[in-house]
Amino acid sequence: MSRARAFVFAVSLASLTVLSACSGGHEDQPKAAPQTVSGETLTVRTAPIDDIKRVGATLTTRDMGEAVARISGVLVTLNVREGDTVSKGQVIGTIQDQRLNFEASAYAATAAQAEADYNRVKTLYEKGIYAKARMEQAETALRSARAQRAAAGDLASQGLIRAPTSGKVIRADVPAGAAVMAGTSIATITAGPRVVRLQLPEQQARSLVLGQSVRLEANGLNANGTVSQIYPAIDNGQVIADITPQGLDSVLLGERVVTAISLGQRTGIKVPLSYVTTRYGLDYVRLVAANKSVSDIPVQTAPLDGQSVEILSGLRDGDTLAPYGVSK
């Protein structure tokens, strides 16, 4: 045997010795025992679950009172601003029309003249100078003048703007000194309790029921509500419903509210949150095999009611799950 061949043989023999040693050491290490479960488990089944939809709504009041101008003229004063509380019948502004004031003054002067003429004719009639027909003529003229004076005064007094209802002013954006027409809205006042007003397509609205519970979310606040009214008319394919909220007193009127409302039922797999965990953006459940061993498998979920989720994929009927934290 040459020296070169002897060297190659020695190197090969050393390599085999090292590999054998390494292999033997690996076999000696103990294998990890499979994780098993004991105690509570859950067998999943397909069953009807509520079809929860998240729909935008608006916080408002049941009714809105509009304080409008009854005559045309200049808005001389406006005594309220947004956020003020007013009472029904309270004077909140004044509109002035000089033409109406002039007419009222003219009719007042005419009524005063008719009253003076009546008194003079009455005196002469009692002395037998004037006939009864002249007396009746003066009396008729006095009644007509008084009626015209009352009508002119009432028309001029319509420049007072009064609150149509008790509540809070949410809009008063017409500045004092502005010219307004009859029928112009000067201020908007809330009337009635707060409600969350919801609009739904008519096909979905058929599932609404009076007294139905609704979850609400507004400005970071979570609250509950109840469907208190479903309006009978359809507007552009939309049905309007009012939800009476509980716990949204600090939310401003007009603010958007997200509602989670049940619009019927569908079949699916519902699992409590204690059986689901999230790691690195993925949801997992603990699947229990026939030999009681458990393994984490990924699933796709959708939120339901805050206490459970719907399994969209990853499980089937009859699978058994273990809650997280229960193993041995």
Side-chain angles (χ1 to χ4, degrees):
M1 181 182 298
S2 64
R3 290 186 176 181
R5 290 184 176 181
F7 177 76
V8 172
F9 178 76
V11 172
S12 300
L13 182 60
S15 300
L16 289 174
T17 303
V18 172
L19 291 175
S20 299
C22 292
S23 176
H26 179 71
E27 292 177 354
D28 292 340
Q29 293 180 357
K31 294 183 179 180
Q35 194 177 30
T36 59
V37 68
S38 63
E40 178 186 2
T41 59
L42 173 68
T43 301
V44 298
R45 299 291 183 189
T46 300
I49 60 176
D50 290 333
D51 188 9
I52 304 296
K53 300 292 186 183
R54 293 175 64 84
V55 184
T58 304
L59 182 65
T60 181
T61 56
R62 189 168 301 280
D63 299 304
M64 293 286 184
E66 296 286 342
V68 300
R70 291 182 292 176
I71 63 173
S72 300
V74 177
L75 182 62
V76 180
T77 59
L78 184 61
N79 306 325
V80 296
R81 58 183 180 181
E82 289 83 352
D84 290 348
T85 301
V86 297
S87 301
K88 183 178 181 179
Q90 176 182 339
V91 177
I92 62 174
T94 305
I95 296 176
Q96 193 174 77
D97 186 352
Q98 292 295 340
R99 180 177 56 85
L100 295 179
N101 292 335
F102 292 153
E103 289 181 357
S105 299
Y107 284 124
T110 301
Q113 180 64 41
E115 188 171 357
D117 291 344
Y118 171 76
N119 292 331
R120 180 173 56 83
V121 171
K122 182 180 180 182
T123 301
L124 295 177
Y125 169 74
E126 292 174 349
K127 291 180 179 181
I129 298 176
Y130 279 162
K132 185 176 181 181
R134 182 71 180 85
M135 174 66 182
E136 291 176 350
Q137 182 181 5
E139 187 176 359
T140 301
L142 177 60
R143 287 198 300 266
S144 176
R146 285 177 174 176
Q148 289 177 337
R149 180 182 61 184
D154 182 69
L155 185 60
S157 68
Q158 290 185 8
L160 296 178
I161 303 173
R162 300 181 182 274
T165 185
S166 299
K168 183 173 292 187
V169 178
I170 62 173
R171 187 186 65 81
D173 52 7
V174 180
V180 297
M181 299 293 294
T184 301
S185 176
I186 305 300
T188 303
I189 302 169
T190 62
R194 287 186 167 202
V195 295
V196 175
R197 189 149 292 167
L198 175 71
Q199 291 187 352
L200 286 173
E202 54 183 306
Q203 295 83 0
Q204 296 181 351
R206 294 171 183 168
S207 302
L208 288 179
V209 179
L210 288 176
Q212 180 178 348
S213 297
V214 183
R215 290 188 292 114
L216 308 173
E217 180 182 348
N219 197 20
L221 296 176
N222 293 319
N224 295 321
T226 304
V227 177
S228 55
Q229 183 171 356
I230 302 173
Y231 292 87
I234 297 176
D235 185 12
N236 293 326
Q238 301 286 314
V239 174
I240 301 175
D242 285 345
I243 300 170
T244 301
Q246 300 174 357
L248 295 182
D249 296 337
S250 60
V251 178
L252 299 178
L253 291 176
E255 190 164 338
R256 297 291 293 174
V257 179
V258 178
T259 66
I261 186 168
S262 174
L263 298 177
Q265 288 188 326
R266 66 178 185 275
T267 58
I269 297 177
K270 182 178 179 181
V271 173
L273 285 175
S274 59
Y275 287 81
V276 182
T277 189
T278 302
R279 293 196 298 265
Y280 304 107
L282 296 177
D283 294 330
Y284 292 87
V285 296
R286 305 183 71 199
L287 184 64
V288 181
N291 60 357
K292 298 298 183 179
S293 63
V294 296
S295 58
D296 288 353
I297 62 170
V299 292
Q300 185 179 3
T301 64
L304 288 178
D305 54 7
Q307 299 179 350
S308 58
V309 295
E310 180 184 2
I311 304 297
L312 303 179
S313 63
L315 293 179
R316 60 186 178 182
D317 274 3
D319 286 342
T320 302
L321 304 181
Y324 278 88
V326 179
S327 63
K328 70 176 183 178

